[in-house]
């Protein structure tokens, strides 16, 4: 053993010397807790012999191993570590950044989980249950880590080996490393066993449901485990009335009463290795060096499930509605000796369990805003869930608007109907008249106590905008409303005065007899003559921007007023003009 220790120290010194002579790569300064310093030692089998590589291989463009080369064990800050990149160089004294491994980050979730399981059942978590020397247990675990990282072993149960490339680096005819190989076989067996569940159960990917048989006043079911692992699991039930017992490879499930819906039987594997909470897996990396990991994380305890149910049936009701209101709606379910009123939950669901097989009727309460629902029938089958769906449609009615106008132009007039319906939903709809002046609002939600507002929009400028109207909408009825467009009109009253006196004429002059014309553009439409008071009033004309009043002939004693007085732009009943 003295020779072994001397050899170990000499090797460590040699590695340190190699490191000292190597170029140091440029690095970014990191805090002491953010980096790990690498060191190596030789590995020895149970007889004290230094272990060597059995062969070499090109993996990912790097040469790993080499027949007869010594197999070194690595550490990070004195803690046992495992290589992630076979053949990538790393020397004693190199430093790697914590949580910076690109190799580790690139692994799939299944690969990471498989590496964690190998460490848990290998050196890091299960060392006391493995055979061989400390170094042999480490080498066995390292082999599996490489296999999972390189894809030489499947990362999902049953973790089958897909290539012997990594395996042959450590085990073979040149250097068998038999002690490490025995520990490797044990870890593989532990991992495979870890994922083996009772044959009649599911690991959760696909639920298994069995029905309990009723006999002699109780429900029971006996299942046989063909995988032979029943003794390695403990069992619990989600229903306190359901009991579970095991004998050999048989599991018996019993219940003295019918189960509400289903009971879930959970099997939990016993004696799964655990590690301390401080043994967290950490991956160290450097783009120019080999990445490594230390520590291990607890994997999820292996569990399996089976659901059991009793041969009563269940009705599952699903409620939908046009306005989205589905909570708190009452339904009455009736059957032979059964009559129960239940309400929907916030999602519109009702589940009634423990129903004996037969035909049941399901009736929804009447609600004003919905069209009446027909009673439905549903057949209940023992051990099954029968589904019934109710979908409410909101009540609707119609509105017809008849349009008339003074100039008989009724096509293309737009109407707006708006307000809040009985259901609380907003109504905001438009309709346009056809050539007959008819606009239709169809399938409109019925109104509540407050009727909707109906108004004409985009009224042509030639019309006076009609007042809005109220319009209640009733279920399956047609509400009728009518609108008439009145043309915008104006008239003119003229009062002629003396420009100097402001009122009465002077001398022999008179205000009577002045002739004025009503023009549309440059076209003379009508003429009017002032009376003895210098006044006249016109009839009504349709509004426009091109109307004007002009003096055509002055009264006795006055000059012609050439001013053009524009009128008619606004729908004012009277345009009053004082003219000199």
């Amino acid at each position: 053993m003295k020779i072994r220790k001397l050899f170990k120290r000499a090797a460590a010194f040699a590695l340190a010397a190699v490191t000292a002579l190597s170029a140091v790569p440029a690095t970014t300064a990191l805090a002491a807790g953010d980096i790990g310093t690498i060191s190596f030692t030789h590995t020895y089998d149970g007889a004290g012999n230094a272990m060597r590589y059995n062969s070499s291989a090109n993996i990912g463009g790097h040469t790993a191993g080499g027949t007869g080369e010594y197999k070194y064990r690595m550490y990070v800050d004195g803690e046992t570590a495992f290589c992630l990149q076979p053949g990538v160089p790393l020397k004693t004294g190199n430093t790697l950044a914590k949580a910076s491994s690109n190799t580790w980050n690139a692994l799939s979730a299944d690969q990471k989980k498989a590496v964690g399981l190998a460490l848990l059942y290998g050196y890091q978590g299960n060392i006391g249950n493995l055979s061989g020397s400390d170094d042999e247990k480490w080498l066995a675990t390292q082999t599996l880590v490489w296999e999972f990282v390189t894809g030489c072993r499947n990362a999902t149960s049953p973790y089958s080996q897909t290539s012997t490339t990594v395996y042959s680096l450590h085990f073979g005819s040149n250097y068998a490393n038999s002690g490490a190989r025995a520990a490797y076989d044990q870890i593989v067996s532990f991992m495979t066993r870890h994922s083996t569940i009772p044959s009649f159960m599911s690991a959760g990917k696909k639920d298994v449901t069995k029905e309990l048989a009723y006999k002699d006043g109780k429900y029971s079911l006996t299942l046989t485990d063909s995988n032979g692992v029943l003794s390695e699991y403990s069992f619990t039930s989600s229903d306190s009335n359901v009991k579970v017992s095991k004998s050999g490879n048989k599991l018996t499930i019993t219940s003295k009463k019918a189960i509400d819906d289903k009971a879930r039987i959970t099997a939990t594997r016993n004696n799964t290795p655990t590690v301390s909470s401080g043994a967290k897996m950490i991956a160290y990396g450097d783009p120019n060096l080999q990445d490594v990991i230390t520590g291990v994380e607890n994997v999820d305890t292996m569990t399996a499930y089976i659901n059991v149910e009793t041969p009563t049936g269940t009705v599952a009701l699903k409620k939908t509605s046009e306005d989205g209101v589905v909570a708190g709606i009452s339904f009455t379910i009736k059957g032979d000796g059964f009559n129960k009123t239940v309400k929907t939950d916030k999602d519109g669901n009702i589940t009634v369990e423990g129903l004996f097989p037969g035909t049941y009727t399901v009736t929804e309460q009447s609600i004003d805003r919905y069209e009446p629902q027909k009673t439905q029938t549903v057949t209940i089958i023992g051990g099954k869930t029968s589904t019934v769906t109710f979908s409410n449609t909101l009540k609707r009615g119609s509105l017809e608007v008849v349009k008339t106008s003074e100039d008989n132009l009724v096509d293309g007039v737009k109407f707006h109907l708006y307000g809040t319906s009985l259901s609380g939903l907003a109504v905001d709809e438009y309709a346009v008249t056809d050539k007959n002046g008819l606009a239709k609002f169809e399938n409109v939600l019925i109104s509540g106590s407050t009727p909707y507002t109906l108004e004409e929009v985009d009224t042509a400028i030639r019309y006076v905008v009609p007042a809005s109207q109220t319009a209640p909408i009733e279920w399956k009825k047609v509400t009728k409303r009518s609108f008439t467009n009145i043309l915008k009109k104006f008239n003119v009253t003229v009062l002629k005065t003396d420009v100097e006196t402001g009122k009465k004429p002077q001398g022999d002059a008179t205000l009577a007899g002045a002739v004025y014309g009503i023009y549309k553009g440059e076209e003379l439409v009508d003429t009017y003559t002032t009376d003895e008071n210098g006044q006249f009033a016109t009839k009504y004309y349709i509004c426009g921007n091109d109307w004007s009043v002009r003096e055509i002939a002055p009264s006795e004693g006055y000059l012609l007023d050439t001013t053009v007085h524009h009128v008619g732009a606004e729908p004012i009943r009277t345009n009053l003009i004082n003219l000199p």
Side-chain angles (χ1 to χ4, degrees):
M1 296 306 291
K2 290 182 180 179
I3 296 174
R4 172 184 170 176
K5 291 180 179 178
L6 180 60
F7 180 66
K8 183 173 182 179
R9 287 198 297 271
F13 175 80
L15 285 169
V18 170
T19 303
L21 294 172
S22 299
V24 179
T27 59
T28 301
L30 296 170
D34 294 331
I35 62 172
T37 301
I38 305 300
S39 60
F40 289 88
T41 64
H42 278 285
T43 56
Y44 299 90
D45 62 19
N49 299 312
M51 290 191 289
R52 300 170 183 265
Y53 279 99
N54 174 68
S55 64
S56 64
N58 186 295
I59 301 176
H62 300 281
T63 300
T67 305
E69 294 290 332
Y70 289 114
K71 181 66 186 179
Y72 294 100
R73 176 174 171 176
M74 66 170 57
Y75 301 83
V76 177
D77 293 335
E79 296 293 332
T80 296
F82 299 87
C83 165
L84 288 175
Q85 297 170 285
V88 177
L90 193 63
K91 299 179 177 66
T92 291
N94 284 151
T95 58
L96 300 178
K98 179 189 285 189
S100 299
S101 171
N102 293 333
T103 300
W104 178 258
N105 293 336
L107 296 180
S108 68
D110 284 338
Q111 284 177 300
K112 291 178 180 178
K113 185 175 180 180
V115 170
L117 197 63
L119 295 173
L120 186 68
Y121 276 102
Y123 183 89
Q124 300 293 74
N126 198 37
I127 189 170
N129 295 314
L130 300 177
S131 64
S133 69
D134 191 77
D135 288 340
E136 286 174 330
K137 297 173 185 179
W138 173 87
L139 179 59
T141 305
Q142 175 67 82
T143 306
L144 279 165
V145 170
W146 274 358
E147 285 190 319
F148 286 127
V149 170
T150 61
C152 288
R153 185 174 289 274
N154 282 329
T156 56
S157 180
Y159 310 109
S160 304
Q161 190 181 68
T162 61
S163 170
T164 60
T165 300
V166 168
Y167 181 88
S168 298
L169 290 175
H170 297 153
F171 313 125
S173 58
N174 293 316
Y175 293 91
N177 295 320
S178 57
R181 187 175 62 220
Y184 167 93
D185 291 338
Q186 291 167 4
I187 299 171
V188 172
S189 177
F190 282 130
M191 290 180 65
T192 303
R193 195 74 171 177
H194 173 86
S195 302
T196 303
I197 62 175
S199 60
F200 49 79
M201 304 189 85
S202 165
K205 293 182 179 179
K206 183 179 181 182
D207 271 358
V208 174
T209 301
K210 299 286 187 180
E211 185 176 285
L212 303 181
Y214 182 79
K215 185 178 181 181
D216 300 331
K218 68 177 182 179
Y219 300 89
S220 65
L221 174 67
T222 299
L223 301 164
T224 301
D225 173 33
S226 60
N227 289 338
V229 294
L230 206 62
S231 62
E232 300 173 18
Y233 284 85
S234 298
F235 295 85
T236 57
S237 170
S238 63
D239 189 327
S240 60
N241 295 303
V242 178
K243 308 300 180 184
V244 183
S245 63
K246 58 182 179 180
S247 177
N249 66 340
K250 294 184 181 297
L251 187 76
T252 300
I253 305 169
T254 59
S255 178
K256 291 183 179 180
K257 59 182 293 187
I259 301 171
D260 292 336
D261 193 17
K262 296 177 182 178
R264 193 164 179 83
I265 308 301
T266 301
T268 305
R269 174 168 282 283
N270 301 322
N271 303 319
T272 299
T274 59
V275 295
S276 67
S277 59
K280 183 179 180 181
M281 184 183 292
I282 301 174
Y284 293 81
D286 184 306
N288 302 309
L289 300 173
Q290 181 187 127
D291 292 357
V292 302
I293 53 172
T294 62
V296 64
E297 290 181 309
N298 287 316
V299 299
D300 295 335
T301 300
M302 191 63 198
T303 53
Y305 308 93
I306 186 172
N307 298 318
V308 292
E309 59 186 9
T310 48
T312 55
T314 299
V315 61
L317 184 148
K318 179 62 178 178
K319 172 68 180 173
T320 60
S321 67
E322 188 176 359
D323 59 357
V325 179
V326 295
I329 298 177
S330 296
F331 288 84
T332 299
I333 302 174
K334 292 182 180 180
D336 186 13
F338 184 88
N339 187 336
K340 186 175 182 179
T341 298
V342 287
K343 291 185 177 182
T344 55
D345 64 16
K346 64 182 181 64
D347 298 315
N349 298 316
I350 292 175
T351 301
V352 179
E353 304 160 339
L355 299 176
F356 291 105
T359 300
Y360 293 74
T361 61
V362 184
T363 305
E364 180 182 0
Q365 72 172 21
S366 178
I367 301 177
D368 287 345
R369 63 183 180 273
Y370 300 125
E371 293 188 358
Q373 287 278 353
K374 293 182 180 180
T375 294
Q376 297 189 45
T377 59
V378 59
T379 301
I380 301 299
I381 301 172
K384 303 294 182 181
T385 297
S386 300
T387 302
V388 60
T389 300
F390 281 76
S391 182
N392 282 134
T393 300
L394 292 167
K395 290 179 178 177
R396 284 173 161 77
S398 299
L399 169 66
E400 291 184 355
V401 184
V402 176
K403 180 66 182 175
T404 58
S405 69
E406 281 190 315
D407 55 1
N408 295 320
L409 298 177
V410 295
D411 188 10
V413 180
K414 184 188 291 186
F415 288 89
H416 184 198
L417 182 69
Y418 60 92
T420 301
S421 68
L422 179 62
S423 67
L425 296 177
V427 167
D428 188 12
E429 300 183 18
Y430 293 86
V432 178
T433 57
D434 60 17
K435 65 180 181 179
N436 299 314
L438 180 64
K440 293 183 178 181
F441 293 86
E442 299 181 308
N443 295 319
V444 180
L445 296 175
I446 62 172
S447 55
S449 58
T450 302
Y452 300 137
T453 298
L454 175 66
E455 60 185 24
E456 181 177 308
V457 295
D458 300 334
T459 303
I461 193 170
R462 65 183 179 275
Y463 298 124
V464 177
V465 178
S468 64
Q469 300 184 36
T470 59
I473 303 297
E474 301 177 77
W475 182 42
K476 291 186 176 180
K477 292 184 178 180
V478 179
T479 300
K480 296 182 180 292
R481 291 290 182 268
S482 61
F483 280 73
T484 299
N485 277 141
I486 304 298
L487 291 166
K488 293 178 181 178
K489 298 175 183 178
F490 74 97
N491 71 344
V492 179
T493 296
V494 172
L495 174 60
K496 185 172 180 61
T497 60
D498 186 285
V499 70
E500 293 182 0
T501 66
K503 292 183 179 179
K504 297 180 179 180
Q506 301 180 56
D508 295 333
T510 179
L511 297 176
V515 179
Y516 286 85
I518 300 298
Y519 287 84
K520 184 173 180 63
E522 296 301 319
E523 179 185 355
L524 177 64
V525 175
D526 284 311
T527 59
Y528 294 89
T529 303
T530 58
D531 61 15
E532 65 274 12
N533 296 316
Q535 296 183 11
F536 69 84
T538 71
K539 65 181 181 181
Y540 284 94
Y541 298 95
I542 297 173
C543 287
N545 292 321
D546 52 355
W547 291 96
S548 62
V549 176
R550 307 177 191 178
E551 190 175 59
I552 298 173
S555 60
E556 184 71 26
Y558 289 99
L559 297 174
L560 180 69
D561 179 9
T562 60
T563 304
V564 176
H565 302 275
H566 293 282
V567 294
E570 298 293 333
I572 303 172
R573 299 290 296 176
T574 300
N575 287 257
L576 180 60
I577 302 177
N578 293 320
L579 300 178

